[in-house]
Amino acid sequence: MNNFEEKLNKYAEVIVKIGANVQKGQKVWVNCTTDSLPLVYKVTELAYKEGASDVHVKLTDDKLSRLHAEYQSKEVYSYIPQWAIDERNDYLDNNVVFIHILSSSPNLFAGIDPAKLGALAKNAGEAYKHYRTCIMTDVNSWTIASYPSADWAKLVFPDEIDADAAQEKLLDAILKTVRVDKADPVKAWEEHRQNLTEKAEFLNSKNFVALHYTSKGTDLTVGLPKNHIWVAAGSVNAKGADFLPNMPTEEVFTAGDRDRVDGYVSNKKPLSYQGNIIDNFKLTFKDGKVVDFEAEQGYEILKQLLDTDEGSRRIGEVALVPNDSPISNSGLLYYQTLFDENASNHLALGAAYPTNVKNGTKMTEDELKEAHINQSISHVDFMIGDSEMDIDGILEDGTRIPVFRKGNWAF
């Protein structure tokens, strides 16, 4: 077995056994592109060996996806057929675990009409509402991993002439972020999850009413809803099985108060959204809502995102990530939110996770809104942290407690 095969075997093991934690008799749904097939073969075989009853692979191809985006009309491109909705819902209702393997270039759809991309995002969000509910309330297990395509690798390593060499460099960087480079990756993940859990427990013990962020281009106060819950790396599905949603993950996160966000915030890393790059942007909030925005790159795409629905201009997720973390310390810019969000404090526009508020998974949409938990068909993370960021936790009596200083944990 060559070194490449050995790397993929270890990676597949981490994805199947730690990320998805495939159970005997369980169905598995793999979303992937043709670029990731070397890893998909490994994941599929191992899932079956772990006892999966059905591994359903949903395969797309970036070149074909780009052609569809270029030549189909807005109406055809954004249409979601009922059979596609029914197929996914049938798997959801039969204890499926989703494995998403990201490979596409972050600027795959650069130059495509933003209105076309916006219509697809809106229609898909509405069509797959049942899916979104099951995922965001942890009814079903799910995990997101990645595999480098040639185009993505070239974006991360633009000075690398050889495409194969660029892909190998990016794969090695990815494997390091998911601890596959460790002698015992499973043990390394257990230790990492425990460290994050301790941070979450401290934050939960304080019961802050708000966080105040300050850095260059940022002076923002984010309210936290009553009975909010800080969550670390792992989750548990409706049947009691553990799973790890994001691989990698360095965050501790909760829900923001949809009506109590005020001030302004600037991004510190590019945001890849719908195959486009949005960068050097600033959002201004008042009473929880974005009331003004600017962007040097991707302005129209950002506008489409903010106009997706009423909730897409409000904060759903508040996530804390120290600047002194493996991905940040690597110095690499991945142009992929899965990685870049784990190198930086970030916020998410759109839906909040009901799991981030006490009894949230049992609440109706109206009850979640009354609890100040944001609802939306979108959920888009953007990176705001840097080595200069300070964050204060504000108690109910107005007392401030340092949470971050100079980009890192203050406790």
Side-chain angles (χ1 to χ4, degrees):
M1 182 184 299
N2 61 38
N3 190 42
F4 178 75
E5 291 293 318
E6 186 177 350
K7 289 177 183 178
L8 289 191
N9 285 338
K10 286 185 176 181
Y11 193 16
E13 184 175 19
V14 168
I15 292 170
V16 172
K17 294 184 179 180
I18 299 176
N21 189 17
V22 175
Q23 304 291 296
K24 188 173 182 179
Q26 189 173 29
K27 293 185 176 183
V28 179
W29 178 303
V30 182
N31 280 322
C32 58
T33 72
T34 50
D35 289 301
S36 65
L37 279 173
L39 177 60
V40 173
Y41 295 143
K42 303 284 187 182
V43 166
T44 300
E45 182 176 10
L46 186 55
Y48 277 126
K49 287 182 176 179
E50 288 297 299
S53 62
D54 173 24
V55 181
H56 183 66
V57 178
K58 271 292 183 182
L59 196 62
T60 59
D61 180 88
D62 282 352
K63 291 182 180 179
L64 292 176
S65 297
R66 174 76 195 196
L67 289 171
H68 291 315
E70 285 182 2
Y71 291 103
Q72 286 181 337
S73 68
K74 175 182 172 182
E75 290 71 27
V76 172
Y77 183 66
S78 62
Y79 173 69
I80 308 296
Q82 188 61 46
W83 64 260
I85 302 170
D86 293 342
E87 179 187 42
R88 186 175 299 200
N89 288 350
D90 181 67
Y91 273 83
L92 281 165
D93 294 338
N94 284 280
N95 190 34
V96 71
V97 53
F98 284 90
I99 298 176
H100 305 276
I101 301 177
L102 308 180
S103 293
S104 299
S105 171
N107 56 9
L108 175 63
F109 297 122
I112 299 298
D113 181 4
K116 187 183 290 188
L117 297 174
L120 175 61
K122 187 172 184 177
N123 288 351
E126 293 171 348
Y128 296 124
K129 183 177 180 179
H130 181 53
Y131 165 78
R132 188 174 68 255
T133 299
C134 290
I135 294 302
M136 299 197 79
T137 57
D138 291 345
V139 172
N140 294 83
S141 299
W142 55 281
T143 193
I144 305 176
S146 61
Y147 185 86
S149 66
D151 287 345
W152 179 21
K154 187 63 177 175
L155 189 64
V156 178
F157 297 106
D159 297 330
E160 185 62 63
I161 298 175
D162 184 77
D164 290 339
Q167 281 183 278
E168 187 172 353
K169 285 176 71 173
L170 182 52
L171 178 60
D172 284 342
I174 289 171
L175 295 182
K176 190 172 183 179
T177 69
V178 295
R179 293 168 170 77
V180 171
D181 62 324
K182 304 296 184 183
D184 188 342
V186 173
K187 183 179 179 181
W189 270 107
E190 290 173 349
E191 293 174 350
H192 179 53
R193 290 174 69 170
Q194 180 58 37
N195 289 336
L196 292 178
T197 298
E198 290 174 2
K199 298 297 184 186
E201 289 173 348
F202 173 85
L203 293 166
N204 283 324
S205 73
K206 295 302 178 184
N207 195 29
F208 294 124
V209 297
L211 297 178
H212 181 214
Y213 297 75
T214 54
S215 185
K216 184 178 179 180
T218 296
D219 188 347
L220 186 74
T221 300
V222 179
L224 301 177
K226 185 178 180 181
N227 296 322
H228 67 273
I229 300 171
W230 289 93
V231 176
S235 296
V236 180
N237 71 15
K239 292 187 177 295
D242 293 329
F243 67 98
L244 195 67
N246 291 341
M247 304 190 76
T249 183
E250 303 289 336
E251 69 179 354
V252 177
F253 66 98
T254 192
D257 187 316
R258 72 182 305 278
D259 299 312
R260 293 193 298 118
V261 182
D262 293 280
Y264 55 90
V265 61
S266 300
N267 75 303
K268 293 303 184 338
K269 292 181 182 292
L271 168 61
S272 175
Y273 176 67
Q274 292 186 334
N276 284 265
I277 301 296
I278 307 172
D279 201 9
N280 296 322
F281 62 91
K282 179 180 178 181
L283 306 177
T284 300
F285 289 82
K286 181 176 175 54
D287 297 329
K289 188 176 182 178
V290 175
V291 294
D292 193 18
F293 67 95
E294 56 190 65
E296 291 184 12
Q297 180 179 356
Y299 177 89
E300 290 299 327
I301 296 294
L302 178 58
K303 185 177 186 298
Q304 288 289 334
L305 165 59
L306 293 170
D307 290 341
T308 301
D309 58 18
E310 195 275 337
S312 61
R313 284 181 176 253
R314 298 179 183 272
I315 294 298
E317 179 185 328
V318 178
L320 301 179
V321 179
N323 190 63
D324 183 15
S325 59
I327 298 175
S328 178
N329 291 338
S330 74
L332 290 178
L333 181 60
Y334 288 84
Y335 297 94
Q336 171 57 261
T337 301
L338 176 64
F339 295 90
D340 293 333
E341 73 169 7
N342 284 297
S344 170
N345 288 315
H346 55 277
L347 302 170
L349 292 166
Y353 288 96
T355 50
N356 283 134
V357 66
K358 184 178 180 181
N359 297 323
T361 58
K362 300 176 182 178
M363 292 182 182
T364 65
E365 289 187 8
D366 287 341
E367 288 171 335
L368 286 168
K369 188 172 182 178
E370 289 177 8
H372 296 247
I373 303 300
N374 196 38
Q375 304 291 292
S376 175
I377 61 174
S378 66
H379 178 96
V380 180
D381 298 284
F382 64 101
M383 288 61 74
I384 65 171
D386 60 13
S387 61
E388 298 301 314
M389 176 162 279
D390 290 343
I391 304 175
D392 285 341
I394 304 175
L395 299 176
E396 192 168 6
D397 65 2
T399 301
R400 289 175 173 259
I401 296 177
V403 174
F404 265 59
R405 286 294 181 265
K406 298 298 182 182
N408 289 308
W409 294 107
F411 59 88

